[in-house]
């Protein structure tokens, strides 16, 4: 997996990602302490509201950013967003009212909702080899899991020698470090795209491509399974360990580490697995593992049993999330990658926006065992729907018909554009009226200007 770091541009991008992740992990801890200092008796409400604002920003901003990402140089855009995030986190130590937290959290996560999909869509342009790209996805998953494990430990150590306000400033420095790493390299120029007319058409384009692609409809159902399982683990671990089992904070940390350990184990093994297996069986097996882990919660496990459940849950979630980039890359034209990655970012966080409050409210008002049953049922139905939406024979190359027609748009000379020119059209990509004779042919099929519907 580490061989992919020999690629200089990707190595700098990966280090930028890790630097920003570490800083964000510190801010997560510092934000909880800030909420407690401003609203001592209502810190949970403040954090819950901030988390909801975060998800709303993710769902609403990502498609807009994806629609316009191809119109700006990637390096300038990513560096600008890093600088905005650094400015926002450095302002957090100076807030005096709760509403100021909400405003800054929205700005911070609006910038992240713009940064992350563009960053993710850049990597397949750098690592065009499928095997290298798969390793990069696993390495990225591993970085997220390590951050979840190590950031709380680092924050605890730092808080012994400094106040929590300093953690925000360290995150600001981390974002500046990320910006510096991005400045140090030349990123590929975005693929030329023919902008859809109208603001709404541009914003909705990635979502339309996503929902018209069967394998991605299956992915969306699996996103719901991941959210149901993840919400149970993130929201209710502390309640189950402390209230049901009567254990302390150290046991809570170990339980969280079990889920991270399962995810890390899969991230390490998956590149070899995906050399021999297609994504569909691996990802559906991940959905089944998460479903099993939730239903085993009906047995009211002890602490050791809970660690086993969370290990299975983390492994299943990683089986779904790690190959996601491969599916998105297979399912669009290069110029549509920012819009499609943004659609995945927005739709998957929409699932979390449903799962978080459902898990918290049901656990508090009905009971944890009943919550295991409810979220296990959601994961089961979601996995079954994924198997239904995602054809078992999901061929990349499909034979399909084209009706004859004429139109004008920006294009290269590919399998759909083999026509004569008069000499004024200019270099590719170029725009001029051209005719398509129609007929039947076979090639790697994606939803785009020439293919508005998936073939039957």
């Amino acid at each position: 997996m580490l061989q992919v770091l020999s690629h200089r541009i990707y190595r700098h991008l990966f280090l930028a990602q890790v630097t920003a992740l570490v800083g964000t992990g510190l801010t997560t801890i510092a934000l909880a302490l800030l909420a407690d200092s401003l609203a001592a008796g209502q810190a949970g409400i403040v954090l819950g509201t901030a988390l909801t604002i975060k998800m709303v920003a993710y769902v609403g901003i990502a498609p807009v950013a994806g629609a316009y990402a191809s119109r700006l140089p990637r390096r300038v855009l990513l560096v600008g967003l890093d600088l905005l995030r650094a400015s926002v986190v450095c302002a957090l130590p100076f807030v005096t009212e709760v509403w100021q937290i909400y405003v800054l959290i929205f700005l911070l996560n609006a910038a992240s909702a713009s940064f992350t999909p563009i960053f993710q869509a850049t990597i397949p342009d750098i690592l065009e080899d499928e095997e290298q790209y798969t390793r990069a996805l696993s390495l990225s998953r591993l970085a997220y899991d390590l951050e979840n494990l190590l950031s709380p430990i680092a924050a605890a150590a730092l808080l012994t020698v400094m106040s929590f306000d300093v953690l925000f400033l360290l995150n600001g420095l981390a974002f500046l470090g990320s910006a510096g790493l991005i400045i140090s390299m030349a990123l590929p120029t975005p693929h030329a795209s023919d902008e859809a007319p109208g603001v709404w058409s541009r914003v909705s384009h990635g979502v339309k491509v996503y929902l018209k692609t069967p394998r991605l409809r299956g992915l969306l159902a699996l996103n719901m399974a991941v959210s149901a399982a993840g919400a149970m683990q993130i929201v209710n671990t502390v309640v189950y360990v402390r209230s049901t089992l009567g254990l302390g904070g150290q046991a809570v940390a170990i339980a969280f580490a079990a889920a991270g350990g399962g995810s890390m184990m899969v991230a390490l093994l998956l590149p070899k697995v995906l050399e021999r297996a297609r994504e569909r069986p691996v990802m559906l097996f991940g959905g089944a593992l998460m479903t099993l882990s939730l239903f085993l919660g009906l047995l009211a496990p002890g602490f050791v049993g809970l660690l086993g459940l969370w290990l299975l849950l983390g492994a299943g979630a990683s089986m779904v999330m790690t190959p996601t980039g491969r599916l998105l890359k297979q399912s669009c034209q290069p110029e549509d990658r920012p819009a499609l990655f943004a659609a995945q970012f927005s739709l998957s966080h929409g699932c979390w926006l449903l799962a978080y409050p459902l898990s918290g409210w049901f656990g508090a008002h009905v009971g944890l065992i009943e919550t295991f049953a409810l979220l296990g049922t959601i994961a089961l139905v979601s996995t079954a729907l994924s198997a239904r939406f995602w054809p078992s024979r999901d061929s990349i190359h499909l034979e399909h018909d084209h009706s004859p027609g004429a139109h004008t748009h920006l294009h290269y000379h590919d399998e759909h554009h083999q026509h004569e020119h008069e000499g004024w059209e200019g270099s590719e990509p170029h725009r001029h009226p051209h005719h398509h004779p129609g007929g039947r042919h076979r090639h790697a099929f994606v939803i785009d200007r020439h293919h508005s519907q998936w073939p039957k």
Side-chain angles (χ1 to χ4, degrees):
M1 191 189 302
L2 296 178
Q3 290 177 353
V4 73
L5 293 176
S6 62
H7 192 292
R8 179 182 177 275
I9 296 179
Y10 174 71
R11 182 171 66 249
H12 282 222
L13 274 177
F14 178 72
L15 290 174
Q17 176 197 16
V18 170
T19 303
L21 277 176
V22 171
T24 303
L26 297 179
T27 285
T28 301
I29 307 297
L31 185 62
L33 297 172
L34 176 62
D36 186 63
S37 70
L38 290 179
Q42 298 182 315
I45 295 174
V46 173
L47 286 174
T49 304
L51 187 63
T52 302
I53 291 172
K54 173 182 176 178
M55 292 300 160
V56 169
Y58 279 4
V59 172
I61 299 297
V64 178
Y68 290 92
S70 61
R71 304 177 73 180
L72 293 171
R74 281 176 175 164
R75 185 165 64 170
V76 172
L77 185 57
L78 292 174
V79 169
L81 290 169
D82 261 340
L83 295 178
L84 174 59
R85 295 196 292 180
S87 301
V88 171
V89 294
C90 287
L92 280 168
F94 303 102
V95 303
T96 56
E97 302 289 340
V98 169
W99 68 266
Q100 295 169 352
I101 293 180
Y102 298 153
V103 171
L104 292 175
I105 288 300
F106 180 81
L107 290 175
L108 176 63
N109 290 290
S112 293
S114 304
F115 182 96
T116 304
I118 298 167
F119 180 92
Q120 292 172 337
T122 302
I123 296 175
D125 289 343
I126 295 169
L127 302 174
E128 296 184 358
D129 178 75
E130 191 77 8
E131 186 176 325
Q132 279 196 321
Y133 182 50
T134 302
R135 291 173 178 171
L137 292 174
S138 292
L139 198 58
S140 178
R141 182 75 250 156
L142 192 61
Y144 278 107
D145 292 330
L146 283 173
E147 183 273 323
N148 288 331
L149 290 174
L150 298 180
S151 284
I153 298 172
L158 290 170
L159 288 171
T160 62
V161 295
M162 62 183 64
S163 70
F164 70 84
D165 287 347
V166 181
L167 298 183
F168 291 123
L169 300 180
L170 291 176
N171 189 12
L173 291 175
F175 285 138
L176 291 177
S178 171
L181 285 164
I182 294 172
I183 288 173
S184 69
M185 57 191 162
L187 296 181
T189 302
H191 292 269
S193 62
D194 200 39
E195 298 287 358
V199 174
W200 174 246
S201 295
R202 287 195 291 268
V203 170
S204 62
H205 177 63
V207 175
K208 288 178 180 177
V209 172
Y210 194 109
L211 296 179
K212 288 183 176 183
T213 304
R215 71 175 71 93
L216 297 186
R217 291 200 295 271
L219 173 61
L220 180 58
L222 286 174
N223 284 334
M224 190 67 241
V226 169
S227 301
M232 184 67 200
Q233 183 253 330
I234 293 169
V235 174
N236 289 320
T237 292
V238 64
V239 181
Y240 192 88
V241 171
R242 302 202 69 166
S243 300
T244 303
L245 300 180
L247 301 176
Q250 186 178 19
V252 174
I254 294 172
F256 272 102
S263 182
M264 288 170 61
M265 179 177 62
V266 168
L268 290 168
L269 297 175
L270 212 51
K272 287 294 183 185
V273 174
L274 290 174
E275 288 178 10
R276 303 183 181 186
R278 295 296 302 275
E279 294 88 354
R280 184 180 185 273
V282 172
M283 296 173 74
L284 289 177
F285 185 65
L289 272 186
M290 290 185 290
T291 301
L292 175 63
S293 71
L294 290 171
F295 280 133
L296 287 174
L298 300 178
L299 301 177
F303 184 62
V304 174
L306 182 69
L307 296 184
L309 297 194
W310 279 184
L311 187 76
L312 281 180
L313 189 149
S318 189
M319 286 182 186
V320 173
M321 292 186 290
T322 303
T324 292
R326 284 170 53 119
L327 289 191
L328 298 174
K329 181 184 176 184
Q330 293 168 7
S331 303
C332 67
Q333 299 289 1
E335 60 269 22
D336 289 334
R337 281 178 191 158
L340 193 62
F341 274 81
Q344 161 65 13
F345 189 85
S346 179
L347 292 171
S348 63
H349 283 91
C351 295
W352 284 98
L353 187 59
L354 295 173
Y356 270 138
L358 182 62
S359 176
W361 185 90
F362 213 77
H365 292 87
V366 180
L368 292 181
I369 300 302
E370 291 80 0
T371 307
F372 271 116
L374 173 65
L375 296 177
T377 301
I378 291 174
L380 176 63
V381 171
S382 298
T383 303
L385 286 174
S386 178
R388 174 70 180 84
F389 294 150
W390 190 347
S392 56
R393 295 183 178 179
D394 182 30
S395 176
I396 301 298
H397 294 80
L398 295 176
E399 190 170 353
H400 56 281
D401 293 306
H402 282 276
S403 301
H407 58 186
T408 301
H409 67 92
L410 198 65
H411 63 275
Y412 293 89
H413 286 173
D414 54 21
E415 65 268 12
H416 294 100
H417 300 94
Q418 299 297 328
H419 44 246
E420 298 297 325
H421 290 90
E422 299 175 10
W424 57 268
E425 295 86 356
S427 59
E428 299 178 35
H430 53 208
R431 184 198 313 270
H432 60 86
H434 55 275
H435 175 74
H436 293 273
R440 187 172 183 84
H441 64 170
R442 179 184 180 89
H443 60 82
F445 190 94
V446 297
I447 297 295
D448 58 17
R449 178 176 292 275
H450 297 99
H451 311 89
S452 60
Q453 298 294 331
W454 203 262
K456 299 290 185 182

